[in-house]
Every structure is written in structure tokens, then in C-alpha cells.
Amino acid sequence: MSTDSLVSRRATALASVPSQQRINTFLRDSAYSRRQNDPGICDFTFGNPHQMPPAAYVEALQDALTPRNEQWFAYKTNEPEAQAAAAASLQRLLGLPFEPADIHLTTGGFTAIPLALKAVADPGDEVIFTLPPWFFYEPLVIEAGLVPVKIRCDAETFDVDLAALGAAITPRTRVVIVNTPNNPTGRIYPPSLLKDLADMLEGASRSNGRRVYLLSDEAYNRIVYDGARFHSPAEYYPYTLLAYSYGKTHLAPGQRIGYLALPPAMPDRGALREALTALQMAMGWIYPNALLQHALPRLEQFSIDVGQLQRKRDLMVEALTGMGYQLPRPEGSFYLFVRTPADDDEQFTAALADQDVFVLPGTLFETPGYFRISLTASEEMIQRSLPVFAEALANTGQAKENVP
């Protein structure tokens, strides 16, 4: 009998990725995994809802549940009405003439990312992304047979460090991933940076004799604060693949719908459209289910209450900085990325958990010395947590003296 492992080498390698192991350990073996359903905890971990969904969201799904014809729940690919609604929304947001055929609907933004990677990169190609990252970039890159290359962001601004990026690009570089508004930092990359990034990638493509694509993860591009105007890399670099998730816009991450969009300025994108369609089927029919596609034209008409998120942002930023914590004021997304006053971020966040306040340690984002707060927590959770944050900081001896 063969002594080969029951698990493939590929799956074993994927399971051994440190970022994958860290998040799996947190989900299965942490205090949060044991207590996440306890009443009375303050849950700032993931971008999950902590209040009932808006009536408009429920009504849109209820309306779409009523069949209009016998094919209502048949197999669905990219439904034209859903594509048209998404393209029109992108036109309004970015001022670019997206076409419905350029919208490839997926089961959330999660699958839009590997769809993009597999469409333009071959096994062994390199994919560059910035730390701190969304913690699933590395597993998705490796699962696609590609090589992750990590660079640190600018420590002062949390922008992409263009000098570090330029040094990391090689002839094997095929994709650069950017995430704006950023998770976990809340940074929105400014137009000046995006223009310089586009110039760098155009120059690298010419030098290497091979196109470098930009994959723009824009799950939070509708969640921006202070009346800011969001700018997408697709406005400046025609070889951008734009990944989007409605789970953030409606704070309904369990309802899986998103898309991968090709910008109208991308030359000769007809072949890429065909490749994406083939991959959507071959990757396991990664189209959203019929109900969500039927509902999409209505879902495009509203979002979660960004004003409420901004009020929670302002409350927490002012309270935490008043205590003595160091953190930037996020421009978008629904997270705060806070410097840990203690040397060990996992020990510090464990101390918060002992007092029923749960956050994510920076080590999950390959950035020790920080922790992340999700603003999707309820306002009542926020109020109950503030004395705990103050006490934890005081226990490190770094609290401001004028704060009670």
C-alpha cells in the first residue's frame, strides 16, 4: 500500500502558508472563537453586521424571490440586467464609460480576485502587494500557482511605497495588487500617487517587454468619509482589473455577490472577456446565484448608512487619541488601525479580550505593533468598550495624564 499522504502537496503547501495559519488559528482556537456568540461582548473583529439589516435590503431580496417566469431560478451566468446596473453605477462613481459586457459577476469580491489573477498570470509569475494586507491575498496568490512578493507601505502615510515597489518589480512580475480604500488602514490613495503608480507600471511593462497588470481591490469604494471623492487606479492605468464586493456596501457579507470589471480604456479586451467567462465556469460556476442577480438593480440604489459609520469613526478616533492611542483618521472603509501601546500586540489584544473587548491583532496583517477595530460594531458596544481601552492603556503606563 502506498504511504503517500492523503493530502496533495499543493493543498499541504497552501495550508502551511503563515497568513492562512494565523487567521485559521484565530477563527478556531482563540478566545474570540469560543466567545463570539456570548451576549455582552464588544465585537470589533470582522466586518460583520451588529444591527438588523435595512428594510430596503430585505425588501429587494423579497421582491427578487418572487418568480416572474419559469426560468427565474435557472442557471445564471452574467445576467444582462445585473451587468447593466453595475456598469451604470461605476459610470456614476468614476466618470468612465464602463460597458455591461465588461462586468463579470462573481460570488463576492473574494472570487473576483483569483479570477483576475488566473486570467492574466501564468504559474510562476510574481504578484506584488503591500503590507499590511488583507490577510487572504497570499493564499489566493499561492492557490493560483503564483509567487507572492510583499513590500511595506509608507510608514508615515500608509500609501504604496513606490520606491519599494520599483525595487520589487522583476521580469517575472505580472500583477500588482492595490487596495483602496484600504483594509486595514482606511487610507484612500490620492490621484498623484495613482498617476505615479501608472507611470511606473507602464515603464516596467515596456522595459520587461511584458504587460504588468494592476489589480485594484475596491471593496470599500462606496464607503468614504468627509465628502471625499474616491479615485480608482482604473482612471489612470488602462490595464487595471477592478474587483468589487456588494457585501461591504450593504454590510451583508453572507450574501455573496461582486464583480470583476475591465476599464473601457483597456485595449483589445475582447480576448480577456472570453477568458474571464471561461474561468467563471471552470472555477466552479462562480457566478452569483439567481436571487442576487435579479435583486442587483435595486441593490445598486442604496448603501449602508455611511454617515453613521463616520459618526462612529469620529467618536472612536477622538476618544482613543484623547486617551493617548496613536492612529490615523481613516478616509474610507470601516476600520481603525491603531498602534499598540505594548510591545506585544497579541498579548495586548488578549488583555482586551479578557475584558470582553475583541479586536484583531496586527500580526494577522503581518504588521506587529498594531490592532484593527471594525466600526461595524454597534454604538452600544463602542460606549461599553471605551473604559476598557482606557484601562488597558493605563496599564501600560502610556495614558495621557489629563484623561480620567
Side-chain angles (χ1 to χ4, degrees):
M1 180 182 295
S2 172
T3 58
D4 288 348
S5 169
L6 296 176
V7 181
S8 70
R9 288 190 296 272
R10 180 169 174 268
T12 299
L14 187 62
S16 66
V17 174
S19 56
Q20 181 94 22
Q21 290 180 329
R22 282 190 292 266
I23 192 64
N24 283 344
T25 298
F26 186 86
L27 290 171
R28 294 184 309 200
D29 301 323
S30 67
Y32 177 74
S33 69
R34 298 187 296 272
R35 301 195 53 214
Q36 60 183 301
N37 296 316
D38 287 1
I41 69 167
C42 301
D43 188 351
F44 296 97
T45 54
F46 300 102
N48 278 321
H50 291 284
Q51 58 192 47
M52 293 301 289
Y57 189 83
V58 177
E59 290 165 4
L61 296 190
Q62 288 174 332
D63 179 65
L65 189 60
T66 302
R68 311 308 199 254
N69 54 60
E70 70 277 8
Q71 293 294 307
W72 197 249
F73 299 123
Y75 283 111
K76 302 300 177 188
T77 56
N78 293 301
E79 287 295 286
E81 294 82 2
Q83 286 179 295
S89 177
L90 269 181
Q91 289 176 15
R92 292 190 296 271
L93 181 70
L94 303 179
L96 299 176
F98 282 88
E99 298 178 12
D102 290 323
I103 306 295
H104 297 263
L105 298 161
T106 56
T107 46
F110 208 128
T111 49
I113 293 170
L115 175 64
L117 294 174
K118 292 177 180 181
V120 300
D122 293 312
D125 285 345
E126 295 173 348
V127 178
I128 301 174
F129 57 87
T130 295
L131 306 183
W134 180 51
F135 27 65
F136 286 113
Y137 287 148
E138 185 175 18
L140 291 178
V141 168
I142 291 174
E143 192 279 331
L146 309 174
V147 179
V149 178
K150 307 172 189 179
I151 61 172
R152 282 282 167 195
C153 71
D154 184 302
E156 296 298 322
T157 64
F158 287 130
D159 282 336
V160 177
D161 186 330
L162 293 181
L165 175 60
I169 292 176
T170 75
R172 294 174 61 194
T173 302
R174 187 61 162 171
V175 180
V176 174
I177 301 177
V178 295
N179 174 211
T180 177
N182 187 263
N183 170 16
T185 68
R187 177 65 168 161
I188 296 176
Y189 298 147
S192 58
L193 172 71
L194 298 178
K195 291 174 184 176
D196 290 343
L197 174 61
D199 289 343
M200 174 177 286
L201 297 185
E202 184 61 39
S205 298
R206 287 196 303 267
S207 298
N208 294 337
R210 187 176 187 229
R211 176 58 54 185
V212 178
Y213 285 88
L214 188 61
L215 173 51
S216 183
D217 179 0
E218 301 182 14
Y220 304 93
N221 65 14
R222 270 73 162 180
I223 304 173
V224 299
Y225 303 127
D226 303 310
R229 157 84 157 85
F230 171 77
H231 289 276
S232 169
E235 299 174 51
Y236 308 99
Y237 190 62
Y239 293 93
T240 297
L241 305 161
L242 191 160
Y244 177 68
S245 168
Y246 290 92
K248 312 301 183 184
T249 305
H250 298 109
L251 195 53
Q255 296 296 327
R256 308 297 298 161
I257 182 166
Y259 58 73
L260 185 71
L262 305 180
M266 180 181 287
D268 304 321
R269 64 191 186 281
L272 190 51
R273 286 176 178 174
E274 293 298 320
L276 290 171
T277 299
L279 281 166
Q280 285 175 285
M281 297 180 184
M283 289 171 64
W285 205 265
I286 61 170
Y287 303 99
N289 65 38
L291 176 65
L292 288 171
Q293 293 209 49
H294 292 317
L296 190 58
R298 285 187 62 173
L299 295 178
E300 275 286 8
Q301 297 173 14
F302 59 89
S303 73
I304 58 173
D305 188 344
V306 176
Q308 182 190 46
L309 283 172
Q310 181 169 324
R311 290 190 294 274
K312 290 193 285 187
R313 177 205 66 171
D314 292 342
L315 172 61
M316 290 217 73
V317 168
E318 289 161 15
L320 293 175
T321 55
M323 295 172 194
Y325 286 95
Q326 299 178 39
L327 69 155
R329 184 179 296 267
E331 301 160 308
S333 80
F334 38 60
Y335 305 109
L336 306 179
F337 203 50
V338 187
R339 188 176 292 278
T340 310
D343 292 335
D344 188 328
D345 59 288
E346 291 184 292
Q347 184 179 55
F348 183 79
T349 57
L352 291 174
D354 288 340
Q355 300 300 315
D356 297 338
V357 173
F358 292 87
V359 300
L360 293 186
T363 51
L364 291 182
F365 304 91
E366 301 184 57
T367 308
Y370 288 83
F371 63 94
R372 193 191 76 173
I373 289 172
S374 174
L375 295 171
T376 60
S378 69
E379 294 183 18
E380 191 259 343
M381 288 179 182
I382 291 174
Q383 293 295 343
R384 284 192 287 112
S385 73
L386 294 180
V388 177
F389 283 115
E391 180 183 358
L393 186 63
N395 288 339
T396 68
Q398 297 188 38
K400 288 185 179 180
E401 293 182 359
N402 61 340
V403 176

